[in-house]
Amino acid sequence: MQKKEKSFGIQMLSVQPDTKPKGCAGCNRKIKDRYLLKALDKYWHEDCLKCACCDCRLGEVGSTLYTKANLILCRRDYLRLFGVTGNCAACSKLIPAFEMVMRAKDNVYHLDCFACQLCNQRDIQSYGRDRTSKSHRRV
C-alpha cells in the first residue's frame, strides 16, 4: 500500500433511547434505528455507509474504511484503485494489489505458485514451522 493511505475505524454503537437522534452524514436524516455507525467523526445509518465503488455496506465487511480522492472505499476497492501491484517471483505474472500472497525473503508469490524449491511441495501450512530443517525451503 502507498504511504499516503488513509484508513479509519468503524464503530457500531447502540442508540440510547433517552438521547436525541443523531443526523446521518450520508442521507442527512435522523438516525432512529437501534444501531448506528460512527466513522470519520460522523454518524451513519448502517445502509448509508457504503463503498463508493462496489456499494457494499462497510459496517458488514470489516471495521476499517479507506478514503482517498474524496471517496469512501472498502479495502478491496482501495487496493484495486490505489494499491501497488507486483510480479510473482515464480511465474512472473502480475499479482493484483488486493490478492493474498506468500512472502519469502524479498520475494512475493501467488499462493498457488509458492512451493518448496527442493521437492515442489505446496503445503503452505507447514512452511516456516521448522526453521532448523533445511529439507523444505523457499529461497
Side-chain angles (χ1 to χ4, degrees):
M1 282 188 230
Q2 298 172 348
K3 290 188 179 208
K4 293 184 181 181
E5 167 186 318
K6 299 281 187 177
S7 66
F8 297 91
I10 301 171
Q11 294 177 295
M12 179 175 278
L13 305 171
S14 265
V15 175
Q16 302 302 317
D18 55 342
T19 60
K20 181 180 172 187
K22 300 192 182 321
C24 175
C27 69
N28 295 317
R29 294 191 315 244
K30 298 285 184 200
I31 302 172
K32 298 178 183 175
D33 303 338
R34 185 173 176 188
Y35 297 100
L36 58 85
L37 298 175
K38 183 177 181 184
L40 305 170
D41 292 324
K42 299 175 184 175
Y43 297 96
W44 307 76
H45 289 106
E46 291 179 84
D47 287 336
C48 291
L49 187 58
K50 293 183 178 183
C51 174
C53 287
C54 70
D55 225 23
C56 70
R57 292 172 44 160
L58 294 172
E60 292 179 353
V61 297
S63 58
T64 305
L65 62 83
Y66 297 81
T67 63
K68 190 160 181 176
N70 290 329
L71 297 171
I72 296 175
L73 303 164
C74 66
R75 181 179 188 277
R76 181 177 174 91
D77 283 328
Y78 177 85
L79 291 174
R80 185 177 57 79
L81 293 170
F82 304 109
V84 178
T85 59
N87 291 346
C88 176
C91 72
S92 299
K93 292 181 182 173
L94 187 70
I95 301 174
F98 57 84
E99 189 172 307
M100 295 284 289
V101 297
M102 285 296 289
R103 296 179 185 276
K105 294 188 179 179
D106 293 330
N107 297 320
V108 182
Y109 301 88
H110 292 108
L111 292 180
D112 290 340
C113 293
F114 187 78
C116 173
Q117 286 181 323
L118 299 175
C119 71
N120 210 28
Q121 181 180 347
R122 296 185 184 270
D123 182 12
I124 293 172
Q125 304 299 340
S126 66
Y127 175 75
R129 283 190 189 157
D130 184 4
R131 298 201 186 275
T132 60
S133 171
K134 304 258 188 221
S135 62
H136 286 89
R137 65 174 182 231
R138 181 50 133 165
V139 205

